[in-house]
Amino acid sequence: DTAVSQTPKYLVTQMGNDKSIKCEQNLGHDTMYWYKQDSKKFLKIMFSYNNKELIINETVPNRFSPKSPDKAHLNLHINSLELGDSAVYFCASSPRGTGSSGNTIYFGEGSWLTVV
Amino acid sequence: GENVEQHPSTLSVQEGDSAVIKCTYSDSASNYFPWYKQELGKRPQLIIDIRSNVGEKKDQRIAVTLNKTAKHFSLHITETQPEDSAVYFCASSGGQAGTALIFGKGTTLSVSS
């Protein structure tokens, strides 16, 4: 069983479209994250949720909106896609929430988004 | 916020040699320092981590050292093998970013046989 799963794995879409990436973890973790990896391989935190509550919202355009229906799911919705949004988006999870550092973070397999 | 600097950006070694990757962090409250290995087209995978109450940790050919005073930590790989070729990322957490990992920009390690 995949611990952190995200769909779709590949997504090619046109500029201006709206798309969503779904993420689910079956590890019972309290905290979930979205990371963006750009063409230069730089991994940057976008959002962090703890028990469905937004904890971190880094400098990310408002076109990106995370949704956490329950603590096992954290979906990423992107409006009005732009060429610069092309990247690999990784979902991740860890056992405990804010204030409890030192938790191993587990990554999903990534979603390759290409905007044309 | 936290900033993690990683050097070098690329590293080429011969099989059997050692490889060292160094990172510095800015947030003195950070207390967890993992290293991830990412092969082409794959997810980052944890290879070793160290917490702030420990100065060194080893796992077979891999070791990590931490100097809290200087705010730097290093990854050491001995007896490198071609399968060690990948991008390696250092990261920190526990400071202002809470549990979220703040990553360095990565080191592309190439091991030639």
Side-chain angles (χ1 to χ4, degrees), chain B residues 16-37:
Chain B
D17 287 349
S18 295
V20 180
I21 303 171
K22 298 182 178 182
C23 289
T24 59
Y25 61 98
S26 61
D27 188 343
S28 57
S30 294
N31 56 15
Y32 175 61
F33 307 93
W35 288 86
Y36 282 78
K37 176 183 179 182

Side-chain angles (χ1 to χ4, degrees), chain B residues 47-111:
Chain B
I47 55 172
I48 195 168
D49 57 13
I50 192 167
R51 287 163 172 75
S52 59
N53 58 346
V54 176
E56 183 175 1
K57 183 177 178 180
K58 289 183 180 180
D59 183 3
Q60 299 182 335
R61 297 185 296 108
I62 294 173
V64 58
T65 58
L66 171 66
N67 183 328
K68 283 198 67 180
T69 303
K71 290 191 282 188
H72 66 69
F73 56 113
S74 301
L75 177 72
H76 304 252
I77 306 174
T78 58
E79 300 173 21
T80 54
Q81 301 166 3
E83 50 266 39
D84 293 331
S85 297
V87 181
Y88 290 82
F89 293 95
C90 63
S92 73
S93 74
Q96 290 185 4
T99 60
L101 292 176
I102 305 303
F103 284 90
K105 292 191 175 181
T107 296
T108 301
L109 174 64
S110 299
V111 181

Side-chain angles (χ1 to χ4, degrees), chain A residues 2 4 31 33 35 37 40-43 45 48 56 90 94 96-105 107-109 112, chain B residues 31-32 36 38 40-46 49 51 87 89 93-106:
Chain A
T2 303
V4 182
T31 307
Y33 313 84
Y35 281 85
Q37 187 169 43
K40 295 183 179 179
K41 303 295 184 185
F42 185 41
L43 274 163
I45 180 74
S48 169
I56 291 176
F90 285 100
S94 66
R96 292 186 292 276
T98 301
S100 298
S101 63
N103 306 299
T104 300
I105 290 182
F107 284 87
E109 293 186 336
W112 272 254
Chain B
N31 56 15
Y32 175 61
Y36 282 78
Q38 187 178 29
L40 190 63
K42 302 286 183 65
R43 77 185 86 188
Q45 296 211 309
L46 179 72
D49 57 13
R51 287 163 172 75
V87 181
F89 293 95
S93 74
Q96 290 185 4
T99 60
L101 292 176
I102 305 303
F103 284 90
K105 292 191 175 181

Side-chain angles (χ1 to χ4, degrees), chain A:
Chain A
D1 287 340
T2 303
V4 182
S5 59
Q6 48 184 113
T7 56
K9 184 166 185 177
Y10 300 102
L11 181 57
V12 180
T13 188
Q14 291 188 329
M15 284 174 53
N17 284 350
D18 303 337
K19 292 294 177 185
S20 293
I21 306 172
K22 296 184 177 180
C23 179
E24 175 182 5
Q25 54 94 3
N26 62 5
L27 297 166
H29 289 172
D30 287 338
T31 307
M32 296 185 72
Y33 313 84
W34 277 107
Y35 281 85
K36 177 181 180 181
Q37 187 169 43
D38 60 23
S39 58
K40 295 183 179 179
K41 303 295 184 185
F42 185 41
L43 274 163
K44 184 173 172 59
I45 180 74
M46 299 175 68
F47 302 102
S48 169
Y49 266 74
N50 181 37
N51 276 324
K52 304 193 300 175
E53 181 182 349
L54 179 65
I55 302 300
I56 291 176
N57 181 359
E58 289 295 316
T59 306
V60 176
N62 291 336
R63 300 181 294 102
F64 291 79
S65 54
K67 293 284 194 305
S68 182
D70 55 62
K71 77 172 191 177
H73 296 83
L74 180 61
N75 304 322
L76 183 65
H77 189 76
I78 315 171
N79 290 326
S80 304
L81 278 155
E82 301 177 356
L83 292 176
D85 297 333
S86 296
V88 184
Y89 293 86
F90 285 100
C91 178
S93 71
S94 66
R96 292 186 292 276
T98 301
S100 298
S101 63
N103 306 299
T104 300
I105 290 182
Y106 298 87
F107 284 87
E109 293 186 336
S111 295
W112 272 254
L113 172 65
T114 302
V115 183
V116 297

